């Protein structure tokens, strides 16, 4: 006897595989040889595009082996919409599903979206559940990462992610990515600018799921200070790039300052989350 199909489940599984770039199979790309030295590496990353034959060597990329999102922006081909890997994307789905099934009030937000893949998936989850009264907020500078303010935030002094042009994905490109998946609609809100300038305007907004992907101490702290106070009880706080010491220090300092004692759940080698209690 045939079992009744679950189109919502099938849709989310296919959406997930598409956003992760898993529908193409292994591919061979030509990657520039990256010599030692920060300055020389930056020059190559700036003037040589992925796929160019200049100072390049063939590299086989199999995204099916990237379940934990270990490939950097410099390693990934052009078609994946997210670099977080299947494990962290599964975590996003689990947190949203739990919040929806438990009736946790509030919208969804990611701070730091790159090509928009995780927020596209957030919108897809809402569609699969038939949710029409929640919005996905897509917060990013859409111009890469800010220059570290080492005087105010010493933990960011050693980070040079602002020099990586591959992290700067424009607003129009992210909107086009939403459109390609048929998910650009009135339930998506774009928040453009540096977090220190934009997130205070959302400080009274209720949230069911917050996902942070700001890398820096400053970006992580800006998001926590402005968004976490209005995360609804039962809602989820997700942090990416927790292996970066600056990001981890911001989380540690915020939890200590505000007496946040909920246990941290390890998602994978760089992702964590916790559920806010009453």
């Amino acid at each position: 006897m045939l079992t009744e199909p679950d189109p919502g489940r099938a849709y989310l599984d296919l959406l997930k595989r598409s956003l992760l770039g898993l529908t193409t199979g292994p591919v061979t790309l030509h990657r520039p040889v990256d010599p030692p030295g920060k300055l020389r590496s930056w020059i190559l990353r700036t003037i040589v595009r992925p796929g160019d034959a200049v100072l390049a060597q063939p590299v086989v990329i199999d995204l099916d082996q990237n379940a934990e999102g270990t490939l950097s922006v410099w390693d990934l081909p052009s078609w994946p919409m997210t670099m977080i890997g299947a494990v962290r994307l599964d975590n996003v789905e689990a947190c949203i599903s739990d919040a929806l099934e438990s009736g946790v009030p509030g919208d969804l937000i990611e701070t730091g979206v790159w090509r928009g893949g995780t927020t596209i998936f957030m919108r897809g989850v809402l569609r699969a559940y038939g949710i029409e009264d929640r919005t996905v907020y897509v917060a990013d500078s859409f111009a890469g990462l800010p220059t570290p303010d080492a005087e105010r935030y010493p933990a960011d002094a050693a980070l040079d992610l602002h020099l990586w042009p591959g992290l700067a994905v424009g607003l129009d490109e992210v909107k086009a990515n939403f459109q390609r998946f048929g998910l650009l609609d009135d339930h998506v809100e774009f928040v453009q600018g540096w977090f220190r300038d934009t997130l205070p305007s959302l400080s009274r907004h209720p949230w069911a799921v917050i996902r942070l992907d700001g890398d820096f101490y400053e970006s992580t702290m800006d998001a926590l200070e402005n968004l976490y106070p209005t995360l609804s009880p039962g809602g989820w706080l997700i942090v990416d790039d927790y292996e970066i010491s600056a990001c981890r220090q911001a989380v540690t300092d915020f939890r200590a300052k505000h007496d946040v004692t909920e246990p941290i759940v390890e998602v994978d080698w760089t992702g964590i989350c916790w559920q806010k209690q009453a």
Side-chain angles (χ1 to χ4, degrees):
M1 176 183 250
L2 292 175
T3 59
E4 184 177 354
D6 184 349
R9 178 71 266 153
Y11 166 73
L12 288 178
D13 287 346
L14 181 57
L15 177 61
K16 194 179 301 179
R17 291 188 62 81
S18 299
L19 292 168
L20 292 168
L22 301 180
T23 60
T24 61
V27 294
T28 300
L29 302 176
H30 286 81
R31 295 300 194 200
V33 177
D34 202 7
K38 182 184 296 186
L39 179 59
R40 295 176 67 194
S41 296
W42 174 80
I43 291 173
L44 276 180
R45 286 195 290 267
T46 303
I47 67 174
V48 182
R49 299 186 307 273
D52 283 351
V54 180
L55 297 176
Q57 57 186 356
V59 177
V60 176
I61 302 294
D62 185 356
L63 294 176
D64 275 306
Q65 305 301 313
N66 191 42
E68 293 194 347
T70 55
L71 295 179
S72 72
V73 63
W74 191 238
D75 300 314
L76 286 170
S78 60
W79 52 88
M81 296 291 101
T82 177
M83 67 177 80
I84 70 173
V87 174
R88 270 171 276 158
L89 206 54
D90 286 343
N91 170 251
V92 172
E93 181 181 354
C95 291
I96 297 174
S97 298
D98 180 78
L100 295 179
E101 291 169 1
S102 301
V104 177
D107 290 323
L108 318 177
I109 187 170
E110 183 178 47
T111 60
V113 306
W114 193 47
R115 293 172 181 165
T118 304
T119 46
I120 292 171
F121 184 69
M122 287 177 167
R123 180 65 190 98
V125 173
L126 294 183
R127 173 166 289 182
Y129 275 88
I131 302 298
E132 297 294 333
D133 59 351
R134 298 182 192 249
T135 297
V136 174
Y137 282 73
V138 186
D140 202 291
S141 70
F142 302 102
L145 279 78
T147 301
D149 186 346
E151 183 175 346
R152 294 188 61 193
Y153 305 101
D156 291 337
L159 297 176
D160 66 348
L161 296 173
H162 61 295
L163 300 177
W164 287 65
L167 293 174
V169 181
L171 175 59
D172 289 343
E173 181 176 345
V174 174
K175 286 184 176 181
N177 292 338
F178 269 86
Q179 185 64 59
R180 290 187 185 96
F181 287 88
L183 293 170
L184 183 64
D185 58 20
D186 292 340
H187 299 288
V188 180
E189 185 79 25
F190 295 91
V191 183
Q192 183 176 17
W194 303 123
F195 297 157
R196 58 178 173 262
D197 300 323
T198 61
L199 296 185
S201 66
L202 299 175
S203 61
R204 297 185 179 182
H205 196 94
W207 306 107
V209 176
I210 298 170
R211 189 175 193 279
L212 311 184
D213 196 350
D215 300 345
F216 288 175
Y217 183 103
E218 178 184 5
S219 301
T220 303
M221 187 61 79
D222 283 341
L224 286 168
E225 290 283 5
N226 286 290
L227 304 179
Y228 190 78
T230 51
L231 176 63
S232 300
W236 288 88
L237 188 285
I238 307 170
V239 182
D240 205 305
D241 295 314
Y242 191 66
E243 95 288 354
I244 297 178
S245 60
C247 172
R248 185 168 59 252
Q249 188 61 52
V251 172
T252 300
D253 290 350
F254 178 85
R255 284 171 59 93
K257 177 181 177 181
H258 296 280
D259 195 27
V260 177
T261 58
E262 288 87 341
I264 290 176
V265 178
E266 292 185 2
V267 178
D268 62 5
W269 63 282
T270 189
I272 66 164
C273 65
W274 70 82
Q275 188 175 29
K276 188 175 185 180
Q277 304 303 313

